[in-house]
Amino acid sequence: MTAHSVAEALRIPTFEDVRAAQARIAGHAHRTPVLTSRTADRLTGASLFFKAESLQRGGAFKFRGAYNAIAALDPAARSRGVLAFSSGNHAQAVAYAAKLLGVGATIIMPSDAPTVKVAGTRGYGAEVVFYDRYKEDRREVTQRLASETGAAIIPPFDHAEVIAGQGTAVLELIEEVGNLDIVVTPLGGGGLLAGSALAAKALSPGCRVFGVEPEAGNDGQQSFEKGEIVEIAVPRSIADGALTTALGLRTFPIIREKVEAVETVPDEALVSAMRFFAERMKMVVEPTGCLAAAAVFSGKIDCAGKRVGIVLSGGNIDLGALAGHFAAC
């Protein structure tokens, strides 16, 4: 591999890429609503603006990055199809985006992925290949299939066009509500947080950006504090969309430069936040989608007197699992 190809392979996106993604996905991704709650504002002493990506196509913000990445492929690459590995939301996003663009898709999913997400992925026409997340490396499985088929890999976060696409959520948020003092997003592999930081720092330079992980899987927090990527064992949490083991080579530099801090919340705080959205705002938000809100609601991030943007990243949860979480807490 030449030095040029290495540089291209590790290209770090900029805000200009987020702007380009916004144009590319316009008319295809939903411009999701920004919701407010006087009760939430009173509880936190802040003005909260919830970007409801739970209402995005495919039920999560992931559609933005998936569509942007596939649409950016040249015709020859599209003809060979795409591959993705995901616990669910990215899987559905790639499957749906590929269907809209007339591209074949194969998705590698863990055998314990939520049933609703597997069904959704297949429903969009993608082929699903299962692997054991505790015994197999999903990247190795994906690379093997890519070498056999020639399909382009669309990773869930460590991809310049994916990161840029995810950043359009916060770009829209700030365009709609104006300057923000704080932006908070869930953190798994870092695509949403990195893209959001690019948008927030460009449009609202004084804005402080925070990422939030499940307490059981704080690889991002460790990486941020240590100044280098830290890899952990596969964590166990109800936040199934954030069970990554390490940040990406492209997401980490952006997070290190533009993010204020990475916080964590326990599963109990996620259930409490899910209950709030269901009871007070009549919304279904999945555990991962509640990470940012849970940190604000529980006081992990001091937001008093501030204008705060919170990304609700997804709403794909089996109703039986939702009822089970509520019954357990």
Side-chain angles (χ1 to χ4, degrees), residues 79-230:
S79 71
R80 293 189 293 273
V82 296
L83 283 167
F85 49 87
S86 168
S87 63
N89 283 340
H90 181 64
Q92 292 181 91
V94 170
Y96 195 4
K99 179 179 180 179
L100 293 175
L101 290 162
V103 177
T106 299
I107 313 298
I108 292 83
M109 301 184 74
S111 55
D112 61 350
T115 302
V116 66
K117 296 183 179 182
V118 175
T121 302
R122 285 176 167 156
Y124 292 133
E127 178 184 355
V128 174
V129 174
F130 290 109
Y131 78 100
D132 185 332
R133 75 161 90 218
Y134 300 104
K135 296 180 180 178
E136 296 179 279
D137 186 326
R138 63 184 184 175
R139 289 166 292 192
E140 291 180 1
V141 175
T142 306
Q143 288 288 351
R144 183 175 67 250
L145 288 174
S147 65
E148 294 171 358
T149 65
I153 298 174
I154 308 296
F157 53 85
D158 203 23
H159 185 288
E161 302 300 351
V162 170
I163 295 167
Q166 317 307 28
T168 62
V170 165
L171 188 159
E172 290 176 5
L173 172 62
I174 296 175
E175 284 181 341
E176 182 165 339
V177 306
N179 286 339
L180 292 169
D181 300 307
I182 295 172
V183 164
V184 191
T185 84
L187 172 59
L192 176 60
L193 179 57
S196 297
L198 290 173
K201 290 299 187 180
L203 297 177
S204 193
C207 182
R208 300 162 66 209
V209 181
F210 294 83
V212 184
E213 296 176 299
E215 195 173 79
N218 71 332
D219 60 287
Q221 185 181 62
Q222 292 184 54
S223 300
F224 185 83
E225 294 175 351
K226 192 172 182 180
E228 62 184 48
I229 296 175
V230 173

Side-chain angles (χ1 to χ4, degrees), residues 21-69:
Q22 183 182 40
R24 193 175 285 126
I25 70 175
H28 303 287
H30 292 325
R31 190 177 179 97
T32 52
V34 178
L35 306 177
T36 58
S37 165
R38 285 178 293 181
T39 301
D41 288 355
R42 184 174 67 253
L43 289 172
T44 59
S47 296
L48 306 183
F49 301 93
F50 299 101
K51 181 63 167 169
E53 286 297 291
S54 51
L55 301 178
Q56 184 55 259
R57 298 185 86 163
F61 76 98
K62 292 284 192 176
F63 181 82
R64 296 174 180 273
Y67 191 95
N68 187 51

Side-chain angles (χ1 to χ4, degrees), residues 228-286:
E228 62 184 48
I229 296 175
V230 173
E231 185 164 2
I232 63 173
V234 177
R236 295 181 184 272
S237 166
I238 63 171
D240 62 273
L243 302 185
T244 52
T245 60
L247 298 178
L249 296 175
R250 297 161 188 79
T251 60
F252 178 64
I254 299 170
I255 292 169
R256 181 176 56 184
E257 177 186 351
K258 298 183 182 296
V259 169
E260 180 87 5
V262 175
E263 303 293 345
T264 67
V265 292
D267 283 359
E268 293 79 10
L270 299 179
V271 175
S272 177
M274 284 193 292
R275 187 183 295 278
F276 177 88
F277 290 120
E279 293 179 348
R280 296 289 184 159
M281 297 180 70
K282 314 310 175 189
M283 297 174 60
V284 174
V285 184
E286 65 184 277

